[in-house]
């Protein structure tokens, strides 16, 4: 007598879920979604090391495969021979199973960071890819293809000690994206006025109180630059606002004044040194790296970033810095 049998796809799916449950960090709460035909298989809530429920969520689609075909990196020039094998292994690359572009469109619209987890059953490993970044970089494919695959890096594995923290780092960066869109629009559109503000508010009377209007403009400049630097991966070597206020209070002993010109001057010198770097990185991202995405999503911002006027302004900033060094 014939009996029902489990399809191979069901076996692979079950093995993938067992792998995820065994490899997920203890700080993750994995919540499986019962209806999985819409591109999301699970939501993961990230708790703190102390077990606090943070509300930080990521969404996951889990794909299983019997094995992954890895390719060697194009170059490992400069690596020490003893470390070369480990370097090559960690930087092996592959492509994920194909995903329908309709699903990728859906992922790009979700407010929660999305990850593709690919379970390699034979290797007993799960590799992850932050999908929104790839979608923005390969945005034209969403309109011209029926499916899309995502790059996998062998070092991006939940089996690695840094696997969980790396997922969380990518998630934090993706949560900054909406703020980045808002803040970088302000930085680009007001780049010249911010540059003028930086120049005209240095070398003033050190003991004067910074007036309310200048104080608010400084905070707008500070917060926009800090947020953009975090998103773009640029080191933010500028004193925190809290430390600026604290040092100002300690130096001037004036409990009724938040900020004096001397403290503002010091902060603006620090911001001035990084401002052109932030603008250049943002322009490269918007004009080149994610050009198709920004051209369709915000054509005005893309046009401004492609203009010669902004490029000349950055050159002027950099020349001013060189003269002062």
């Amino acid at each position: 007598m014939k009996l029902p049998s489990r399809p191979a796809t069901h076996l692979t799916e079950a093995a993938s879920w067992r792998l995820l449950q065994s490899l997920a960090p203890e700080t993750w709460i994995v919540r499986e979604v019962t209806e999985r035909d819409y591109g999301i298989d699970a939501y993961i809530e990230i708790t703190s090391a102390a077990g606090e429920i943070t509300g930080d969520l990521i969404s996951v689609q889990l794909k299983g495969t019997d094995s992954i075909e890895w390719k060697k990196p194009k170059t490992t020039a400069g690596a020490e021979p003893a470390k070369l094998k480990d370097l090559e292994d960690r930087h092996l690359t592959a492509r994920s199973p194909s995903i329908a572009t309709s699903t990728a469109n859906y992922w790009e619209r979700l407010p929660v960071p999305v990850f593709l987890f690919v379970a390699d059953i034979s290797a007993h490993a799960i590799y992850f890819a932050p999908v929104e970044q790839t979608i923005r970089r390969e945005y034209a494919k969403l309109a011209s293809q029926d499916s899309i695959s995502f790059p996998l890096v062998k070092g991006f594995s939940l089996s690695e000690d840094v696997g969980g923290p790396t997922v969380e780092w990518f998630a934090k960066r993706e949560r900054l994206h909406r703020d980045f869109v808002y803040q970088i629009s302000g930085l680009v559109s007001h780049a010249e006025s911010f540059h003028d503000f930086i120049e005209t508010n240095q070398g003033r009377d050190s003991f004067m109180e910074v007036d309310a209007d200048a104080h608010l403009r400084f905070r707008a400049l500070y917060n926009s630059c800090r947020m953009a630097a975090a998103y773009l991966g640029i080191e933010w070597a500028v004193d925190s606002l809290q430390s600026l206020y604290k040092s100002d209070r300690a130096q001037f002993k004036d409990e009724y004044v938040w900020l004096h010109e001397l403290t503002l001057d010091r902060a603006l010198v620090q911001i001035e040194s990084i401002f052109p770097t932030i603008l250049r990185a943002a322009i490269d991202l918007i004009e080149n790296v994610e050009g198709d995405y920004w051209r369709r999503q915000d054509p005005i911002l893309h046009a401004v970033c492609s203009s010669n006027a902004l490029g000349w302004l950055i050159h002027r900033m950099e020349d001013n810095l060189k003269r002062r060094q």
Side-chain angles (χ1 to χ4, degrees):
M1 295 178 62
K2 292 184 178 180
L3 295 173
S5 59
R6 296 180 70 187
T9 54
H10 289 190
L11 293 172
T12 301
E13 181 181 357
S16 301
W17 280 103
R18 288 195 296 271
L19 261 180
L20 178 57
Q21 293 292 348
S22 67
L23 294 176
E26 293 181 357
T27 53
W28 288 7
I29 301 172
V30 181
R31 298 191 176 100
E32 185 176 351
V33 176
T34 54
E35 293 188 42
R36 297 201 297 270
D37 294 333
Y38 304 104
I40 299 299
D41 294 328
Y43 286 98
I44 294 175
E45 183 160 6
I46 300 167
T47 66
S48 70
E52 298 166 323
I53 307 299
T54 63
D56 289 338
L57 294 174
I58 63 173
S59 49
V60 170
Q61 180 163 92
L62 179 62
K63 290 283 189 180
T65 183
D66 292 333
S67 63
I68 296 175
E69 183 179 345
W70 297 100
K71 296 180 180 179
K72 289 184 178 181
K74 292 182 179 180
T75 178
T76 51
E80 298 177 18
K83 297 180 180 179
L84 185 58
K85 181 64 168 64
D86 178 65
L87 184 65
E88 287 181 343
D89 286 346
R90 290 177 57 81
H91 287 76
L92 291 174
T93 61
R95 300 296 296 190
S96 75
S98 295
I99 302 294
T101 49
S102 58
T103 299
N105 274 317
Y106 171 64
W107 287 347
E108 196 271 324
R109 287 162 173 76
L110 285 178
V112 177
V114 184
F115 287 81
L116 178 61
F117 284 7
V118 180
D120 185 332
I121 306 303
S122 62
H124 198 75
I126 290 181
Y127 304 94
F128 55 85
V131 300
E132 286 113 325
Q133 177 177 294
T134 299
I135 289 170
R136 289 192 293 268
R137 293 185 176 192
E138 302 181 13
Y139 200 69
K141 293 181 180 180
L142 300 186
S144 62
Q145 300 179 183
D146 293 329
S147 63
I148 185 174
S149 63
F150 294 86
L152 300 175
V153 178
K154 197 168 187 181
F156 288 175
S157 167
L158 294 186
S159 304
E160 299 278 342
D161 291 338
V162 297
T166 303
V167 169
E168 294 170 22
W169 182 88
F170 276 119
K172 287 179 180 177
R173 183 183 185 276
E174 188 58 39
R175 288 189 195 99
L176 292 174
H177 177 70
R178 291 177 187 273
D179 285 339
F180 173 75
V181 174
Y182 172 77
Q183 299 288 4
I184 204 60
S185 296
L187 275 182
V188 168
S189 61
H190 297 100
E192 186 154 14
S193 64
F194 276 140
H195 170 60
D196 293 340
F197 176 82
I198 290 171
E199 287 202 324
T200 57
N201 283 274
Q202 292 184 52
R204 293 161 65 94
D205 187 339
S206 301
F207 298 95
M208 285 178 58
E209 177 185 0
V210 177
D211 64 56
D213 181 66
H215 195 162
L216 290 175
R217 282 183 61 79
F218 162 65
R219 281 185 11 195
L221 171 65
Y222 182 100
N223 288 324
S224 294
C225 286
R226 180 175 60 84
M227 190 272 136
Y231 183 83
L232 294 165
I234 297 170
E235 182 182 359
W236 181 247
V238 180
D239 295 338
S240 68
L241 287 176
Q242 183 180 8
S243 66
L244 287 170
Y245 293 140
K246 185 177 180 180
S247 65
D248 191 281
R249 185 68 55 85
Q251 183 171 3
F252 291 97
K253 307 289 192 281
D254 190 342
E255 61 180 314
Y256 298 105
V257 175
W258 280 95
L259 203 63
H260 290 80
E261 292 288 350
L262 180 65
T263 309
L264 176 62
D265 188 317
R266 183 169 70 249
L268 291 178
V269 168
Q270 294 175 337
I271 292 174
E272 183 181 33
S273 66
I274 198 173
F275 192 36
T277 303
I278 292 172
L279 288 176
R280 278 200 181 279
I283 290 170
D284 183 55
L285 180 75
I286 293 168
E287 185 182 6
N288 301 314
V289 179
E290 297 177 357
D292 288 318
Y293 171 82
W294 291 93
R295 193 179 295 110
R296 298 189 185 195
Q297 294 295 322
D298 195 336
I300 297 174
L301 179 61
H302 183 272
V304 171
C305 288
S306 304
S307 69
N308 291 330
L310 193 56
W312 280 112
L313 175 62
I314 295 172
H315 277 302
R316 199 169 80 222
M317 294 180 192
E318 292 170 338
D319 289 341
N320 290 343
L321 285 171
K322 289 177 182 178
R323 284 197 296 269
R324 293 177 187 177
Q325 290 175 353

